Amino acid sequence: MNIIERVRKSLNITSAAFDDELRDVVEAARRDMEMSGVPRRDEANADVIQAIKCFVKADQSWEEPNIAARQMESYNAIVNKLSLTHDDRNNDERGCYS
């Protein structure tokens, strides 16, 4: 299952009608993670997947500010952990978010 399918499932979206918008938000999460010091990792990494899902849920919860804030707190906690625990020796040079 690719990242868009995982995100769609986490949001209880069954249609692919919003996939372009979701791709944009996923890419924003990826860029934010990189700017926070998280190297590109394999999307099979459960922490990376969860961080992306939290970021997207926060973005999609604009009508519920408390939910959006909690999702961003979760996202930031995961990104902080990833940025502190990465090991550059284990990252391949091709990146992995693609």
Side-chain angles (χ1 to χ4, degrees):
M1 185 180 310
N2 70 37
I3 191 65
I4 296 300
E5 291 168 340
R6 289 173 181 262
V7 166
R8 199 182 320 127
K9 185 175 180 179
S10 75
L11 294 170
N12 294 317
I13 297 174
T14 57
S15 169
F18 300 103
D19 282 4
D20 287 341
E21 180 180 343
L22 293 176
R23 274 188 201 91
D24 291 343
V25 179
V26 166
E27 186 55 34
R30 290 170 171 160
R31 284 190 311 271
D32 186 74
M33 290 172 73
E34 279 189 297
M35 291 182 351
S36 297
V38 177
R40 292 224 173 223
R41 295 178 187 258
D42 190 337
E43 283 187 349
N45 179 313
D47 290 330
V48 170
I49 293 167
Q50 190 60 33
I52 290 171
K53 289 192 300 188
C54 287
F55 189 96
V56 174
K57 285 179 181 179
D59 178 77
Q60 298 296 306
S61 297
W62 58 272
E63 291 179 340
E64 297 288 340
N66 291 335
I67 292 172
R70 286 195 305 265
Q71 290 295 331
M72 281 309 289
E73 287 174 15
S74 295
Y75 167 79
N76 287 324
I78 296 167
V79 169
N80 186 47
K81 179 180 95 168
L82 289 169
S83 68
L84 294 174
T85 60
H86 81 275
D87 182 351
D88 287 328
R89 294 171 297 159
N90 293 327
N91 295 324
D92 66 31
E93 295 178 5
R94 65 183 162 80
C96 60
Y97 284 137
S98 51

